[in-house]
Amino acid sequence: QVQVAESGGGLVQAGGSLRLSCAISGRTFTTYYMGWFRQAPGKEREFVAAITWSGGESYYADSVRGRFIISTDNARITVYLQMNSLKPEDAAVYYCAGRPYGSGGTLEDESRYNYWGQGTQVTVSS
């Protein structure tokens, strides 16, 4: 059984940093893109970042590029999202998700992701 479990959320002041983790078990994801999405209250879920499992290619939403870093740890089978210079508008539930290579569409298209975690809450105080 595949399990995708996020952790690392919490409360941080604006300008601060958090690192989210996404631990994966139950299958290999070497031919998958791993992505982070977020959903703020009253808003649709949106793409944040994605990475190839090898870590060779990464992609970011314009709103986080230059502040967030997505990475993988093959030994720990974990995906990370380092979030720096956090803003109140970054507050949301953050989800980790996986999609296979070649599944079509764009990396921002959440319907192409077939494995999802339960999410972790990030709160940013101003």
Side-chain angles (χ1 to χ4, degrees), residues 10-19 38 64 67-68 82-91 94 122-125:
L11 172 64
V12 64
Q13 287 188 330
S17 298
L18 277 177
R19 188 177 78 160
R38 66 187 182 186
V64 306
R67 299 187 297 121
F68 290 12
Q82 177 67 43
M83 306 187 296
N84 301 318
S85 302
L86 282 161
K87 304 175 181 180
E89 52 263 42
D90 294 318
Y94 282 71
V122 172
T123 303
V124 183
S125 63

Side-chain angles (χ1 to χ4, degrees), residues 4-80:
V4 178
E6 304 94 337
S7 62
L11 172 64
V12 64
Q13 287 188 330
S17 298
L18 277 177
R19 188 177 78 160
L20 305 183
S21 299
C22 172
I24 300 160
S25 61
R27 67 155 293 145
T28 58
F29 279 71
T30 53
T31 58
Y32 271 59
Y33 290 101
M34 298 304 301
W36 286 96
F37 288 77
R38 66 187 182 186
Q39 187 168 24
K43 295 187 178 181
E44 294 186 352
R45 189 155 55 186
E46 64 175 0
F47 171 80
V48 175
I51 191 169
T52 53
W53 191 255
S54 66
E57 299 176 22
S58 56
Y59 309 85
Y60 298 92
D62 290 343
S63 59
V64 306
R65 186 176 293 112
R67 299 187 297 121
F68 290 12
I69 301 170
I70 188 171
S71 62
T72 60
D73 184 329
N74 290 338
R76 293 182 171 83
I77 318 178
T78 301
V79 182
Y80 299 102

